[in-house]
Amino acid sequence: MRAVVATMTSQVIAALQPCAEHGATFNPPEITMRTVLILALAAFGAFTMAAMWQVGYVGIWQAGLANWGAAQVLADLVMMSLVVLFFLQRDAQVHGRKLWPYALITLAAGSFGPLLYLLLTPTASRGSSERAAA
């Protein structure tokens, strides 16, 4: 495991070095965000698959409704999913993107929809969004 982490770390450090051949430099915000999204999607996907393997899709929903505390957490996650979809709808309109595939994924599988939306955002849109926010 340490060897894998060391290899990944050395690759990231190497990517941070200026590219003398082209005179270009590494763009940390873009690469970092994409890397974080890929890692989050992979880690949460593995966690979700393990949970589904153990209790199934319906079992996840049943656990969320098992008692008042679990139902509150489930309701909170549903509310946050709807809030995120609201903001994604506005972003999709501004950038001319279709939201419906990501909305369906969000309704069926929660945070996978927004994670995929952000991961698959074209680089030009990502840059203009960051400039507009500044």
Side-chain angles (χ1 to χ4, degrees):
M1 180 66 175
R2 286 185 181 185
V4 171
V5 172
T7 302
M8 289 175 64
T9 302
S10 64
Q11 290 173 347
V12 170
I13 291 170
L16 289 170
Q17 303 301 321
C19 180
E21 182 180 330
H22 302 322
T25 57
F26 176 73
N27 184 356
E30 181 180 324
I31 301 283
T32 302
M33 176 61 91
R34 184 166 177 78
T35 302
V36 168
L37 289 170
I38 290 169
L39 291 173
L41 194 58
F44 192 64
F47 178 69
T48 301
M49 291 306 292
M52 287 184 63
W53 179 265
Q54 187 175 36
V55 298
Y57 183 78
V58 174
I60 292 172
W61 285 98
Q62 288 172 337
L65 298 171
N67 57 52
W68 282 99
Q72 188 281 330
V73 171
L74 178 63
D76 186 56
L77 293 173
V78 169
M79 286 288 273
M80 282 310 303
S81 292
L82 294 174
V83 168
V84 167
L85 283 175
F86 172 76
F87 283 101
L88 291 183
Q89 173 63 32
R90 293 183 64 197
D91 185 77
Q93 287 176 342
V94 167
H95 295 104
R97 296 181 66 195
K98 293 181 181 173
L99 179 66
W100 70 265
Y102 306 102
L104 289 177
I105 293 169
T106 302
L107 295 174
S111 61
F112 288 105
L115 284 171
L116 286 170
Y117 181 89
L118 293 171
L119 183 63
L120 300 175
T121 297
T123 304
S125 295
R126 212 177 295 141
S128 64
S129 295
E130 291 170 2
R131 283 189 296 277

